[in-house]
Amino acid sequence: MLRFLTLILAVMHLQGCFDSSALAPIDASEELVVVTRNTPTTYFFEGDRASGFDYALAKQFARQHDMRLRVKVAFSLPELFEMLEQGEAHIAAAGLSKSTERDAQFHPSLPYLQQQALVVYKSGLLRPHALRDMVGRDLIVIAGSAHVESLAAMQSSLPELTWREIHAADSLELMQLVTDGKAELAIVDSIEFSIQQRLFPRVVAALELGEPAPLVWYLPGTPAGAKSKVLVDRFIKAAQKSGDIAQLERLHFGRFMHASRLGSLVFQRKVRDDLPVWQPLIETVATEYQMDWKLLAAISYQESHWDPVARSRTGVRGMMMLTQATASELGVDDRTDAAQSLRGGARFLKDLHRRLPPDIEEPDRTSMALAAYTIGMGHLEDARVLTERAGGDPHLWPDVRAHLPKLQNSSVYTTTRYGFAEGGQAVTYVDNIRHYEGILKLQSMPDQRISPPVEIHGLLPEHLRGASLPIL
Ligand code: GLU
């Protein structure tokens, strides 16, 4: 009997009964199982809240089909495709580039975004000017990525081209290796790059590798996968048409497009050297005002670079650079007292946030409160009126952001209620704060990755042969 049971268990195991084949087809399942990667562009946790572009899109799909969403995380691209192949997920949604080899094995969905592969290097070192300049350099790429396929295709015209494949979930590790001088060049996708460059500001783009590639979800190459594809394609088509995808793109990636590299460098140094002194106080005040401490830290950095006795020519002072008038209104009697200043600033922001029209949602609401913090509610209101006049949506920060600089233009501000304001500066102010906040969020992302083993493809460049292989 025992032997018989063992046999059944063994057969069940071979057939993957415990997980894979137990997965009902999408149209007959109450649960949507998605396999993804834990990366800042796909799926990650902000505190205890799941976030990420692919996660958000998958959630919309699940909601529309009245399904629960279950997320499985793969630690590398080969593992992700293995899981899809084994039937462990209905969909692989992980910033995946469409590629010929993948298409031969799996069903691709319609594209939902485009990404450009970039060749990156460390600023100050030898910059490649053409793809052939990658020959003889220590080039790294993520194992199992679509970029490996592109490089392999290039080898016919550049037979000397070699690279190392890093077994990592995404390009964060590649950026780190280039920053540390443990690799010279890396291939990184453009969206990931624009986000990660805030953490690795010394890494810059040198070249584009090929044409922009569509990003798709992959479905198993089975008849059930083909059926799922019909549902997924219908969903993606509708989400493109309704603007839902554009909205998600703006929400997840939009604010990273205006970041300054130099600003990131200085900020990171200050985070290392000065933030530890102020973080406990910032966290305490943020908790009192039910704010995320990273936002308060970003504002106080933008205001004073965390200098409690900062002073400007216009007479504003302290950690949160309050004017004398605002300080008195907020009950702050000593503006150079960091705790008082932070409390005053947090209260001021909270108050502006509360006073905005109720139908402005996050994250637009906080961005508009920040704009009001710096130029005043009246001018923000003017910019919202201008936005509406021009056919934009005054509830959306990107629309209002586009109209704020017009408050400096005499033909425009003379038509507004509150007149001239430094709208351009207000835009930079909000962009900077969101940028710094983003860096702090990325840095506090729990690191669930494992050290990537390294695989050599082709011969290593001369100067690296025999050297111990760089592993993070
Ligand atoms: N989009 C790439 C792929 O699908 C992922 C590589 C990366 O994370 O940079 O292979």
PDB file of all heavy atoms in Angstrom, residues 282-312:
ATOM      1  N   ILE A 282      12.656  63.285  11.275  1.00  0.00           N
ATOM      2  CA  ILE A 282      11.745  63.372  10.115  1.00  0.00           C
ATOM      3  C   ILE A 282      10.681  62.280  10.215  1.00  0.00           C
ATOM      4  O   ILE A 282       9.498  62.517   9.982  1.00  0.00           O
ATOM      5  CB  ILE A 282      12.554  63.257   8.790  1.00  0.00           C
ATOM      6  CG1 ILE A 282      13.442  64.496   8.612  1.00  0.00           C
ATOM      7  CG2 ILE A 282      11.622  63.103   7.600  1.00  0.00           C
ATOM      8  CD1 ILE A 282      14.406  64.440   7.436  1.00  0.00           C
ATOM      9  N   GLU A 283      11.096  61.086  10.606  1.00  0.00           N
ATOM     10  CA  GLU A 283      10.127  59.980  10.724  1.00  0.00           C
ATOM     11  C   GLU A 283       9.094  60.275  11.800  1.00  0.00           C
ATOM     12  O   GLU A 283       7.903  60.022  11.633  1.00  0.00           O
ATOM     13  CB  GLU A 283      10.850  58.664  11.040  1.00  0.00           C
ATOM     14  CG  GLU A 283      11.532  58.099   9.813  1.00  0.00           C
ATOM     15  CD  GLU A 283      12.079  56.687  10.033  1.00  0.00           C
ATOM     16  OE1 GLU A 283      11.710  56.036  11.025  1.00  0.00           O
ATOM     17  OE2 GLU A 283      12.899  56.248   9.207  1.00  0.00           O
ATOM     18  N   THR A 284       9.565  60.819  12.929  1.00  0.00           N
ATOM     19  CA  THR A 284       8.624  61.131  14.018  1.00  0.00           C
ATOM     20  C   THR A 284       7.581  62.143  13.550  1.00  0.00           C
ATOM     21  O   THR A 284       6.372  61.942  13.729  1.00  0.00           O
ATOM     22  CB  THR A 284       9.396  61.736  15.223  1.00  0.00           C
ATOM     23  OG1 THR A 284      10.444  60.847  15.546  1.00  0.00           O
ATOM     24  CG2 THR A 284       8.502  61.965  16.412  1.00  0.00           C
ATOM     25  N   VAL A 285       8.057  63.220  12.926  1.00  0.00           N
ATOM     26  CA  VAL A 285       7.124  64.258  12.486  1.00  0.00           C
ATOM     27  C   VAL A 285       6.183  63.702  11.412  1.00  0.00           C
ATOM     28  O   VAL A 285       4.972  63.955  11.425  1.00  0.00           O
ATOM     29  CB  VAL A 285       7.892  65.498  11.963  1.00  0.00           C
ATOM     30  CG1 VAL A 285       6.940  66.524  11.384  1.00  0.00           C
ATOM     31  CG2 VAL A 285       8.738  66.110  13.083  1.00  0.00           C
ATOM     32  N   ALA A 286       6.733  62.921  10.479  1.00  0.00           N
ATOM     33  CA  ALA A 286       5.908  62.359   9.406  1.00  0.00           C
ATOM     34  C   ALA A 286       4.804  61.489   9.998  1.00  0.00           C
ATOM     35  O   ALA A 286       3.650  61.542   9.561  1.00  0.00           O
ATOM     36  CB  ALA A 286       6.776  61.553   8.444  1.00  0.00           C
ATOM     37  N   THR A 287       5.143  60.706  11.020  1.00  0.00           N
ATOM     38  CA  THR A 287       4.121  59.854  11.641  1.00  0.00           C
ATOM     39  C   THR A 287       3.032  60.718  12.279  1.00  0.00           C
ATOM     40  O   THR A 287       1.844  60.427  12.133  1.00  0.00           O
ATOM     41  CB  THR A 287       4.769  58.943  12.714  1.00  0.00           C
ATOM     42  OG1 THR A 287       5.906  58.326  12.127  1.00  0.00           O
ATOM     43  CG2 THR A 287       3.824  57.880  13.214  1.00  0.00           C
ATOM     44  N   GLU A 288       3.449  61.787  12.950  1.00  0.00           N
ATOM     45  CA  GLU A 288       2.451  62.679  13.582  1.00  0.00           C
ATOM     46  C   GLU A 288       1.457  63.225  12.553  1.00  0.00           C
ATOM     47  O   GLU A 288       0.288  63.414  12.846  1.00  0.00           O
ATOM     48  CB  GLU A 288       3.158  63.878  14.232  1.00  0.00           C
ATOM     49  CG  GLU A 288       3.875  63.564  15.525  1.00  0.00           C
ATOM     50  CD  GLU A 288       4.781  64.724  15.969  1.00  0.00           C
ATOM     51  OE1 GLU A 288       4.595  65.875  15.501  1.00  0.00           O
ATOM     52  OE2 GLU A 288       5.668  64.458  16.773  1.00  0.00           O
ATOM     53  N   TYR A 289       1.968  63.508  11.354  1.00  0.00           N
ATOM     54  CA  TYR A 289       1.098  64.115  10.335  1.00  0.00           C
ATOM     55  C   TYR A 289       0.622  63.096   9.296  1.00  0.00           C
ATOM     56  O   TYR A 289       0.118  63.467   8.247  1.00  0.00           O
ATOM     57  CB  TYR A 289       1.810  65.301   9.663  1.00  0.00           C
ATOM     58  CG  TYR A 289       1.902  66.455  10.609  1.00  0.00           C
ATOM     59  CD1 TYR A 289       2.980  66.592  11.473  1.00  0.00           C
ATOM     60  CD2 TYR A 289       0.864  67.390  10.703  1.00  0.00           C
ATOM     61  CE1 TYR A 289       3.049  67.626  12.387  1.00  0.00           C
ATOM     62  CE2 TYR A 289       0.917  68.428  11.612  1.00  0.00           C
ATOM     63  CZ  TYR A 289       2.014  68.543  12.457  1.00  0.00           C
ATOM     64  OH  TYR A 289       2.058  69.570  13.358  1.00  0.00           O
ATOM     65  N   GLN A 290       0.808  61.828   9.599  1.00  0.00           N
ATOM     66  CA  GLN A 290       0.392  60.731   8.717  1.00  0.00           C
ATOM     67  C   GLN A 290       0.882  60.921   7.283  1.00  0.00           C
ATOM     68  O   GLN A 290       0.108  60.894   6.327  1.00  0.00           O
ATOM     69  CB  GLN A 290      -1.129  60.594   8.743  1.00  0.00           C
ATOM     70  CG  GLN A 290      -1.581  60.094  10.080  1.00  0.00           C
ATOM     71  CD  GLN A 290      -3.083  60.231  10.241  1.00  0.00           C
ATOM     72  OE1 GLN A 290      -3.689  61.130   9.666  1.00  0.00           O
ATOM     73  NE2 GLN A 290      -3.659  59.365  11.016  1.00  0.00           N
ATOM     74  N   MET A 291       2.160  61.209   7.196  1.00  0.00           N
ATOM     75  CA  MET A 291       2.780  61.348   5.878  1.00  0.00           C
ATOM     76  C   MET A 291       3.845  60.270   5.750  1.00  0.00           C
ATOM     77  O   MET A 291       4.332  59.769   6.754  1.00  0.00           O
ATOM     78  CB  MET A 291       3.568  62.673   5.798  1.00  0.00           C
ATOM     79  CG  MET A 291       2.777  63.903   5.694  1.00  0.00           C
ATOM     80  SD  MET A 291       3.922  65.297   5.915  1.00  0.00           S
ATOM     81  CE  MET A 291       4.819  65.265   4.375  1.00  0.00           C
ATOM     82  N   ASP A 292       4.241  60.005   4.516  1.00  0.00           N
ATOM     83  CA  ASP A 292       5.370  59.113   4.310  1.00  0.00           C
ATOM     84  C   ASP A 292       6.643  59.906   4.640  1.00  0.00           C
ATOM     85  O   ASP A 292       6.840  61.014   4.124  1.00  0.00           O
ATOM     86  CB  ASP A 292       5.382  58.671   2.843  1.00  0.00           C
ATOM     87  CG  ASP A 292       6.478  57.646   2.554  1.00  0.00           C
ATOM     88  OD1 ASP A 292       7.351  57.444   3.420  1.00  0.00           O
ATOM     89  OD2 ASP A 292       6.457  57.068   1.465  1.00  0.00           O
ATOM     90  N   TRP A 293       7.503  59.363   5.476  1.00  0.00           N
ATOM     91  CA  TRP A 293       8.703  60.126   5.878  1.00  0.00           C
ATOM     92  C   TRP A 293       9.576  60.481   4.686  1.00  0.00           C
ATOM     93  O   TRP A 293      10.265  61.501   4.669  1.00  0.00           O
ATOM     94  CB  TRP A 293       9.521  59.383   6.937  1.00  0.00           C
ATOM     95  CG  TRP A 293      10.334  58.220   6.436  1.00  0.00           C
ATOM     96  CD1 TRP A 293       9.943  56.917   6.400  1.00  0.00           C
ATOM     97  CD2 TRP A 293      11.666  58.257   5.877  1.00  0.00           C
ATOM     98  NE1 TRP A 293      10.940  56.145   5.856  1.00  0.00           N
ATOM     99  CE2 TRP A 293      12.013  56.936   5.532  1.00  0.00           C
ATOM    100  CE3 TRP A 293      12.587  59.276   5.646  1.00  0.00           C
ATOM    101  CZ2 TRP A 293      13.227  56.586   4.954  1.00  0.00           C
ATOM    102  CZ3 TRP A 293      13.820  58.931   5.067  1.00  0.00           C
ATOM    103  CH2 TRP A 293      14.126  57.608   4.726  1.00  0.00           C
ATOM    104  N   LYS A 294       9.501  59.637   3.636  1.00  0.00           N
ATOM    105  CA  LYS A 294      10.374  59.877   2.475  1.00  0.00           C
ATOM    106  C   LYS A 294       9.956  61.158   1.757  1.00  0.00           C
ATOM    107  O   LYS A 294      10.789  61.873   1.211  1.00  0.00           O
ATOM    108  CB  LYS A 294      10.344  58.680   1.536  1.00  0.00           C
ATOM    109  CG  LYS A 294      10.875  57.415   2.200  1.00  0.00           C
ATOM    110  CD  LYS A 294      10.874  56.264   1.241  1.00  0.00           C
ATOM    111  CE  LYS A 294      10.215  55.003   1.648  1.00  0.00           C
ATOM    112  NZ  LYS A 294       9.029  54.911   2.409  1.00  0.00           N
ATOM    113  N   LEU A 295       8.658  61.435   1.787  1.00  0.00           N
ATOM    114  CA  LEU A 295       8.195  62.681   1.168  1.00  0.00           C
ATOM    115  C   LEU A 295       8.681  63.876   1.983  1.00  0.00           C
ATOM    116  O   LEU A 295       9.215  64.846   1.437  1.00  0.00           O
ATOM    117  CB  LEU A 295       6.656  62.684   1.063  1.00  0.00           C
ATOM    118  CG  LEU A 295       6.048  63.972   0.509  1.00  0.00           C
ATOM    119  CD1 LEU A 295       6.497  64.229  -0.935  1.00  0.00           C
ATOM    120  CD2 LEU A 295       4.520  63.936   0.571  1.00  0.00           C
ATOM    121  N   LEU A 296       8.546  63.785   3.306  1.00  0.00           N
ATOM    122  CA  LEU A 296       8.985  64.904   4.154  1.00  0.00           C
ATOM    123  C   LEU A 296      10.504  65.102   4.052  1.00  0.00           C
ATOM    124  O   LEU A 296      10.995  66.233   4.009  1.00  0.00           O
ATOM    125  CB  LEU A 296       8.557  64.654   5.607  1.00  0.00           C
ATOM    126  CG  LEU A 296       8.768  65.823   6.563  1.00  0.00           C
ATOM    127  CD1 LEU A 296       8.023  67.067   6.102  1.00  0.00           C
ATOM    128  CD2 LEU A 296       8.306  65.451   7.988  1.00  0.00           C
ATOM    129  N   ALA A 297      11.223  63.993   3.959  1.00  0.00           N
ATOM    130  CA  ALA A 297      12.683  64.092   3.813  1.00  0.00           C
ATOM    131  C   ALA A 297      13.021  64.762   2.480  1.00  0.00           C
ATOM    132  O   ALA A 297      13.928  65.599   2.402  1.00  0.00           O
ATOM    133  CB  ALA A 297      13.314  62.702   3.878  1.00  0.00           C
ATOM    134  N   ALA A 298      12.279  64.402   1.436  1.00  0.00           N
ATOM    135  CA  ALA A 298      12.550  64.973   0.109  1.00  0.00           C
ATOM    136  C   ALA A 298      12.251  66.474   0.103  1.00  0.00           C
ATOM    137  O   ALA A 298      13.007  67.267  -0.453  1.00  0.00           O
ATOM    138  CB  ALA A 298      11.713  64.256  -0.947  1.00  0.00           C
ATOM    139  N   ILE A 299      11.149  66.881   0.753  1.00  0.00           N
ATOM    140  CA  ILE A 299      10.803  68.313   0.772  1.00  0.00           C
ATOM    141  C   ILE A 299      11.872  69.088   1.543  1.00  0.00           C
ATOM    142  O   ILE A 299      12.359  70.126   1.092  1.00  0.00           O
ATOM    143  CB  ILE A 299       9.430  68.568   1.433  1.00  0.00           C
ATOM    144  CG1 ILE A 299       8.329  67.787   0.708  1.00  0.00           C
ATOM    145  CG2 ILE A 299       9.100  70.054   1.442  1.00  0.00           C
ATOM    146  CD1 ILE A 299       6.988  67.820   1.418  1.00  0.00           C
ATOM    147  N   SER A 300      12.241  68.573   2.714  1.00  0.00           N
ATOM    148  CA  SER A 300      13.191  69.328   3.529  1.00  0.00           C
ATOM    149  C   SER A 300      14.563  69.389   2.849  1.00  0.00           C
ATOM    150  O   SER A 300      15.282  70.369   2.979  1.00  0.00           O
ATOM    151  CB  SER A 300      13.287  68.766   4.947  1.00  0.00           C
ATOM    152  OG  SER A 300      13.424  67.370   4.923  1.00  0.00           O
ATOM    153  N   TYR A 301      14.881  68.340   2.080  1.00  0.00           N
ATOM    154  CA  TYR A 301      16.140  68.401   1.328  1.00  0.00           C
ATOM    155  C   TYR A 301      16.048  69.469   0.245  1.00  0.00           C
ATOM    156  O   TYR A 301      16.952  70.287   0.064  1.00  0.00           O
ATOM    157  CB  TYR A 301      16.481  67.039   0.700  1.00  0.00           C
ATOM    158  CG  TYR A 301      17.746  67.125  -0.117  1.00  0.00           C
ATOM    159  CD1 TYR A 301      18.986  67.131   0.506  1.00  0.00           C
ATOM    160  CD2 TYR A 301      17.692  67.276  -1.502  1.00  0.00           C
ATOM    161  CE1 TYR A 301      20.153  67.276  -0.225  1.00  0.00           C
ATOM    162  CE2 TYR A 301      18.857  67.420  -2.247  1.00  0.00           C
ATOM    163  CZ  TYR A 301      20.076  67.417  -1.601  1.00  0.00           C
ATOM    164  OH  TYR A 301      21.227  67.569  -2.322  1.00  0.00           O
ATOM    165  N   GLN A 302      14.928  69.467  -0.489  1.00  0.00           N
ATOM    166  CA  GLN A 302      14.756  70.464  -1.561  1.00  0.00           C
ATOM    167  C   GLN A 302      14.777  71.884  -0.977  1.00  0.00           C
ATOM    168  O   GLN A 302      15.334  72.800  -1.551  1.00  0.00           O
ATOM    169  CB  GLN A 302      13.432  70.196  -2.291  1.00  0.00           C
ATOM    170  CG  GLN A 302      12.988  71.281  -3.257  1.00  0.00           C
ATOM    171  CD  GLN A 302      13.916  71.406  -4.468  1.00  0.00           C
ATOM    172  OE1 GLN A 302      14.602  70.457  -4.835  1.00  0.00           O
ATOM    173  NE2 GLN A 302      13.946  72.587  -5.076  1.00  0.00           N
ATOM    174  N   GLU A 303      14.179  72.041   0.203  1.00  0.00           N
ATOM    175  CA  GLU A 303      14.088  73.373   0.806  1.00  0.00           C
ATOM    176  C   GLU A 303      15.441  73.861   1.325  1.00  0.00           C
ATOM    177  O   GLU A 303      15.826  74.994   1.062  1.00  0.00           O
ATOM    178  CB  GLU A 303      13.079  73.350   1.964  1.00  0.00           C
ATOM    179  CG  GLU A 303      11.619  73.227   1.523  1.00  0.00           C
ATOM    180  CD  GLU A 303      11.082  74.514   0.889  1.00  0.00           C
ATOM    181  OE1 GLU A 303      11.794  75.533   0.905  1.00  0.00           O
ATOM    182  OE2 GLU A 303       9.956  74.480   0.373  1.00  0.00           O
ATOM    183  N   SER A 304      16.151  73.025   2.079  1.00  0.00           N
ATOM    184  CA  SER A 304      17.319  73.539   2.802  1.00  0.00           C
ATOM    185  C   SER A 304      18.537  72.627   2.757  1.00  0.00           C
ATOM    186  O   SER A 304      19.520  72.902   3.430  1.00  0.00           O
ATOM    187  CB  SER A 304      16.940  73.724   4.277  1.00  0.00           C
ATOM    188  OG  SER A 304      16.713  72.441   4.856  1.00  0.00           O
ATOM    189  N   HIS A 305      18.449  71.533   1.966  1.00  0.00           N
ATOM    190  CA  HIS A 305      19.513  70.515   1.995  1.00  0.00           C
ATOM    191  C   HIS A 305      19.773  70.058   3.434  1.00  0.00           C
ATOM    192  O   HIS A 305      20.901  69.815   3.829  1.00  0.00           O
ATOM    193  CB  HIS A 305      20.812  71.033   1.358  1.00  0.00           C
ATOM    194  CG  HIS A 305      20.725  71.057  -0.137  1.00  0.00           C
ATOM    195  ND1 HIS A 305      21.810  71.008  -0.962  1.00  0.00           N
ATOM    196  CD2 HIS A 305      19.657  71.095  -0.958  1.00  0.00           C
ATOM    197  CE1 HIS A 305      21.419  71.037  -2.228  1.00  0.00           C
ATOM    198  NE2 HIS A 305      20.119  71.093  -2.242  1.00  0.00           N
ATOM    199  N   TRP A 306      18.695  69.978   4.210  1.00  0.00           N
ATOM    200  CA  TRP A 306      18.734  69.528   5.610  1.00  0.00           C
ATOM    201  C   TRP A 306      19.656  70.406   6.467  1.00  0.00           C
ATOM    202  O   TRP A 306      20.394  69.916   7.333  1.00  0.00           O
ATOM    203  CB  TRP A 306      19.150  68.046   5.713  1.00  0.00           C
ATOM    204  CG  TRP A 306      18.183  67.129   5.028  1.00  0.00           C
ATOM    205  CD1 TRP A 306      16.818  67.204   5.059  1.00  0.00           C
ATOM    206  CD2 TRP A 306      18.489  65.980   4.212  1.00  0.00           C
ATOM    207  NE1 TRP A 306      16.254  66.192   4.306  1.00  0.00           N
ATOM    208  CE2 TRP A 306      17.259  65.428   3.780  1.00  0.00           C
ATOM    209  CE3 TRP A 306      19.675  65.366   3.806  1.00  0.00           C
ATOM    210  CZ2 TRP A 306      17.189  64.298   2.959  1.00  0.00           C
ATOM    211  CZ3 TRP A 306      19.594  64.243   3.003  1.00  0.00           C
ATOM    212  CH2 TRP A 306      18.374  63.721   2.585  1.00  0.00           C
ATOM    213  N   ASP A 307      19.567  71.695   6.207  1.00  0.00           N
ATOM    214  CA  ASP A 307      20.341  72.632   7.020  1.00  0.00           C
ATOM    215  C   ASP A 307      19.363  73.408   7.902  1.00  0.00           C
ATOM    216  O   ASP A 307      18.584  74.228   7.405  1.00  0.00           O
ATOM    217  CB  ASP A 307      21.112  73.586   6.086  1.00  0.00           C
ATOM    218  CG  ASP A 307      21.858  74.667   6.878  1.00  0.00           C
ATOM    219  OD1 ASP A 307      21.804  74.633   8.122  1.00  0.00           O
ATOM    220  OD2 ASP A 307      22.467  75.537   6.238  1.00  0.00           O
ATOM    221  N   PRO A 308      19.361  73.152   9.215  1.00  0.00           N
ATOM    222  CA  PRO A 308      18.334  73.772  10.076  1.00  0.00           C
ATOM    223  C   PRO A 308      18.470  75.286  10.206  1.00  0.00           C
ATOM    224  O   PRO A 308      17.520  75.949  10.607  1.00  0.00           O
ATOM    225  CB  PRO A 308      18.560  73.090  11.435  1.00  0.00           C
ATOM    226  CG  PRO A 308      19.946  72.550  11.390  1.00  0.00           C
ATOM    227  CD  PRO A 308      20.264  72.264   9.952  1.00  0.00           C
ATOM    228  N   VAL A 309      19.651  75.820   9.865  1.00  0.00           N
ATOM    229  CA  VAL A 309      19.778  77.283   9.976  1.00  0.00           C
ATOM    230  C   VAL A 309      19.871  77.941   8.591  1.00  0.00           C
ATOM    231  O   VAL A 309      20.309  79.078   8.471  1.00  0.00           O
ATOM    232  CB  VAL A 309      20.984  77.696  10.866  1.00  0.00           C
ATOM    233  CG1 VAL A 309      20.742  77.287  12.296  1.00  0.00           C
ATOM    234  CG2 VAL A 309      22.290  77.092  10.346  1.00  0.00           C
ATOM    235  N   ALA A 310      19.439  77.221   7.567  1.00  0.00           N
ATOM    236  CA  ALA A 310      19.501  77.777   6.209  1.00  0.00           C
ATOM    237  C   ALA A 310      18.750  79.097   6.144  1.00  0.00           C
ATOM    238  O   ALA A 310      17.783  79.321   6.876  1.00  0.00           O
ATOM    239  CB  ALA A 310      18.898  76.782   5.217  1.00  0.00           C
ATOM    240  N   ARG A 311      19.240  79.973   5.264  1.00  0.00           N
ATOM    241  CA  ARG A 311      18.620  81.303   5.160  1.00  0.00           C
ATOM    242  C   ARG A 311      18.691  81.696   3.678  1.00  0.00           C
ATOM    243  O   ARG A 311      19.683  81.447   3.015  1.00  0.00           O
ATOM    244  CB  ARG A 311      19.476  82.268   5.996  1.00  0.00           C
ATOM    245  CG  ARG A 311      19.092  83.725   5.912  1.00  0.00           C
ATOM    246  CD  ARG A 311      20.285  84.582   6.327  1.00  0.00           C
ATOM    247  NE  ARG A 311      20.711  84.392   7.717  1.00  0.00           N
ATOM    248  CZ  ARG A 311      20.190  85.059   8.753  1.00  0.00           C
ATOM    249  NH1 ARG A 311      19.221  85.932   8.570  1.00  0.00           N
ATOM    250  NH2 ARG A 311      20.642  84.852   9.959  1.00  0.00           N
ATOM    251  N   SER A 312      17.624  82.299   3.173  1.00  0.00           N
ATOM    252  CA  SER A 312      17.720  82.757   1.788  1.00  0.00           C
ATOM    253  C   SER A 312      17.625  84.275   1.753  1.00  0.00           C
ATOM    254  O   SER A 312      17.223  84.898   2.726  1.00  0.00           O
ATOM    255  CB  SER A 312      16.606  82.154   0.936  1.00  0.00           C
ATOM    256  OG  SER A 312      15.490  83.001   0.987  1.00  0.00           O
TER     257      SER A 312
END
